Amino acid sequence: MRLYSSLSRQIEEVKPLDGQTVKIYSCGPTVYRYIHIGNFRSFMLGDLIRRILRFEGQDSRLVMNITDVGHMTDDLRDTGLDKMELAQSDEGLSAMQIAEKYTEAFLKDGDAVGIGRADLYPRATEHIPEMIEITKRLVEKGHAYVVDGTVYFEVRTFPDYGKLSGNTLEALQAGHRQDVEVDPNKRSREDFGLWKKAGAHRVLKWPSPWGDGFPGWHIECSAMSMKHLGERFDVHTGGNDNKFPHHEDEIAQSEAAVGHSVVSVWVHGGFLRLSGQKIAKSAKNVVLVPEIVERGLDPLAFRLVCFGTRYRSEMDFSWEAFEAANTRLTGLRQRMADWSESPAVATRGEMAEDLDRRFRDAVADDMDMPAALVVLNEAVSSPAVGPAEKYRLLSSWDGVLGLDLERLARERYEAPPEVLELIRRRDEARAARDFGTADRIRDQLGAMGLEVMDTPAGTRVRPRL
Ligand code: AMP
Ligand code: ZN
């Protein structure tokens, strides 16, 4: 597959550096509140890339961090408060309990919108030694300096600073307003904290060579990505707002520490807007996954809503669009249930081959999901493709789409447990090419008054008419 790299500003082929496994790091949630559907549009990216790679027969490994310390309310000026600590005083729970509560909700809501679980969810608080290690290395190499227990990265020492976001040192300096308070300990306004000295009331703090303190937000992603994926890996995802300062600073820290480039392709997703505004807690327009269910809608329809727009573009959210996607999804599942009852065909027609090729091209082309949906619509309505072929195409494409298109096909006939057991044994026998046993079970089911069909979805039964 090919992806647009925000760094090279070009479409690039995704090839595993180790020749085997594509290694993907996705910036994950700060677990101090419920994750909204805007966040989920961005969090979907890593899994979607992995689904497409799997569809192409390519192995991958997906790591997504959980930020449970160090994400400040103001990351530009080092004057912010830690989001975890704020939530702690708001909710009367300890920071650890807050992290646990919202991590669990994040995973559950992610499941509901069909985001496959990552292979690993490293937590920031469990990687403090690694963050201290990189910080030490940066001090030793002259890229960082210590003032009164706080360690700053000296941006001036990394000439490539700005290569991702376009915020070059000159542009940054020119852009700084004079009235903004600056930390007097910094050598330069654009320097940023790698390790911060703990204030008197700080609860989340750890011992370090520079005294008690806590890590900056950006250093966690440098430490955890390189620890779990190596000093060179293939893909890094995040939302557009992560480009600066978060990823610009991650690049500076990681590359200055190891002395070479670390990430091959940087992928950034566009924002989801509600009534023209970006969805944000501060804008008081957040939509959470449980609200989808409360409205009687299927959370998986959120995927169809998202697939209507290229991932890099901003998109508007509306409940009308969601309802239309929900109706469409139910319709697709009903058709799949109908098609599943057609006898399977061994060969695939020319038209089906062509549609499959076009679907594969679309998803491989920088995740062009709108184009993939056009192909899907054509497949559904094409008279040149038989029902069993349609079933087989859509069930294969669903590996990428994640819409559970076979749900109604599975549920159409509610077989009692003893029938389900016979079906299971018959499918097993057929898979083992033990046709004698398969035929005997067919006769057994027939004697129970059931008609047995071999379909693309396996054995189906229905009461004989
Ligand atoms: P946060 O927990 O605030 O760090 O955000 C988690 C992720 O969600 C980041 O990758 C953001 O870029 C992304 N994000 C936040 N708001 C939106 C939005 N409205 N649309 C898409 N992505 C978002
Ligand atoms: Zn990150």
Side-chain angles (χ1 to χ4, degrees):
M1 72 180 299
R2 299 172 302 282
L3 288 171
Y4 177 83
S5 165
S6 317
L7 182 59
S8 68
R9 294 162 177 81
Q10 280 175 354
I11 297 285
E12 295 193 15
E13 182 83 33
V14 180
K15 289 192 294 276
L17 280 164
D18 68 1
Q20 290 187 332
T21 308
V22 175
K23 306 212 173 66
I24 309 166
Y25 184 87
S26 292
C27 272
T30 307
V31 283
Y32 70 107
R33 48 121 169 89
Y34 291 112
I35 305 309
H36 58 66
I37 58 170
N39 301 134
F40 278 119
R41 185 179 182 218
S42 289
F43 292 145
M44 204 180 272
L45 290 176
D47 177 53
L48 191 57
I49 294 169
R50 186 174 53 167
R51 283 172 179 271
I52 294 168
L53 290 168
R54 195 186 295 139
F55 190 58
E56 295 184 338
Q58 170 66 59
D59 270 348
S60 62
R61 173 169 168 76
L62 176 63
V63 173
M64 179 183 271
N65 66 297
I66 302 282
T67 301
D68 54 2
V69 69
H71 193 169
M72 314 303 277
T73 50
D74 187 343
D75 276 296
L76 286 175
R77 279 180 290 273
D78 297 315
T79 51
L81 299 162
D82 191 304
K83 291 182 176 181
M84 296 303 299
E85 292 214 343
L86 268 184
Q88 173 175 290
S89 53
D90 276 1
E91 292 202 30
L93 297 171
S94 74
M96 231 170 87
Q97 288 169 321
I98 294 199
E100 218 159 282
K101 168 178 167 184
Y102 292 111
T103 302
E104 208 171 293
F106 160 69
L107 293 173
K108 194 164 140 261
D109 291 348
D111 290 345
V113 294
I115 299 179
R117 298 250 175 142
D119 296 295
L120 191 73
Y121 292 99
R123 273 122 173 112
T125 49
E126 290 167 7
H127 293 76
I128 304 293
E130 287 84 353
M131 297 188 224
I132 291 177
E133 195 47 48
I134 297 186
T135 305
K136 261 165 64 182
R137 235 200 289 176
L138 290 170
V139 174
E140 280 158 20
K141 289 180 120 183
H143 287 291
Y145 55 94
V146 188
V147 184
D148 185 26
T150 291
V151 188
Y152 297 97
F153 185 92
E154 189 164 18
V155 168
R156 193 168 60 71
T157 68
F158 187 72
D160 271 352
Y161 196 81
K163 66 179 172 182
L164 176 70
S165 62
N167 287 325
T168 57
L169 206 50
E170 299 78 56
L172 279 179
Q173 279 163 346
H176 278 305
R177 299 204 321 271
Q178 292 310 310
D179 54 353
V180 173
E181 204 187 321
V182 189
D183 179 347
N185 289 333
K186 282 188 190 180
R187 289 187 190 159
S188 210
R189 281 169 183 269
E190 50 291 329
D191 295 351
F192 57 90
L194 297 168
W195 184 264
K196 302 178 190 188
K197 179 184 181 168
H201 305 293
R202 180 87 199 177
V203 184
L204 289 169
K205 60 181 173 188
W206 292 264
S208 83
W210 315 285
D212 280 2
F214 62 98
W217 175 35
H218 321 307
I219 194 75
E220 74 167 270
C221 285
S222 287
M224 294 196 275
S225 65
M226 292 198 288
K227 167 160 189 196
H228 297 293
L229 297 176
E231 289 185 359
R232 292 184 199 267
F233 62 92
D234 303 288
V235 181
H236 195 313
T237 75
N240 256 339
D241 63 327
N242 288 152
K243 274 187 201 160
F244 187 85
H246 187 51
H247 291 161
E248 194 69 68
D249 291 356
E250 182 183 330
I251 290 176
Q253 297 160 164
S254 299
E255 297 193 2
V258 300
H260 55 73
S261 92
V262 175
V263 176
S264 301
V265 183
W266 283 90
V267 174
H268 290 99
F271 260 56
L272 187 65
R273 290 178 307 211
L274 195 73
S275 18
Q277 284 184 302
K278 77 175 195 180
I279 293 182
K281 198 180 175 198
S282 49
K284 293 201 168 46
N285 60 358
V286 293
V287 175
L288 306 178
V289 172
E291 187 178 349
I292 299 172
V293 181
E294 279 155 26
R295 287 176 181 248
L297 299 165
D298 186 329
L300 290 184
F302 176 61
R303 304 176 68 82
L304 263 190
V305 174
C306 291
F307 294 160
T309 303
R310 287 300 287 267
Y311 77 90
R312 278 194 277 140
S313 310
E314 291 203 342
M315 70 177 268
D316 286 310
F317 177 82
S318 76
W319 286 109
E320 293 74 48
F322 205 118
E323 271 157 27
N326 198 74
T327 306
R328 175 83 184 128
L329 180 55
T330 309
L332 285 170
R333 287 177 181 156
Q334 268 159 0
R335 279 160 185 258
M336 287 290 278
D338 294 342
W339 298 331
S340 75
E341 291 177 356
S342 300
V345 284
T347 55
R348 194 149 77 179
E350 218 171 279
M351 185 66 178
E353 287 291 352
D354 186 52
L355 287 162
D356 192 41
R357 193 180 38 73
R358 284 172 51 208
F359 183 91
R360 285 172 183 277
D361 285 349
V363 298
D365 177 18
D366 193 25
M367 304 191 269
D368 192 347
M369 302 313 287
L373 290 188
V374 169
V375 180
L376 177 113
N377 290 341
E378 267 183 60
V380 169
S381 53
S382 169
V385 184
E389 284 185 310
K390 289 182 194 224
Y391 187 95
R392 215 196 283 155
L393 280 178
L394 266 68
S395 76
S396 138
W397 296 347
D398 205 24
V400 173
L401 301 170
L403 297 170
D404 198 13
L405 292 175
E406 291 174 280
R407 185 180 294 175
L408 290 181
R410 280 196 307 272
E411 292 170 356
R412 175 153 288 191
Y413 164 68
E414 273 188 50
E418 63 274 19
V419 172
L420 287 178
E421 176 57 19
L422 285 171
I423 290 173
R424 192 190 61 74
R425 279 174 37 208
R426 183 164 187 274
D427 282 340
E428 224 171 59
R430 280 172 59 82
R433 309 193 69 76
D434 175 2
F435 298 113
T437 304
D439 286 348
R440 262 195 309 283
I441 298 176
R442 171 199 290 270
D443 293 343
Q444 222 173 324
L445 287 163
M448 295 163 83
L450 295 168
E451 183 182 349
V452 179
M453 294 162 296
D454 295 321
T455 75
T459 301
R460 289 257 176 260
V461 296
R462 65 181 170 203
R464 201 178 292 115
L465 299 173

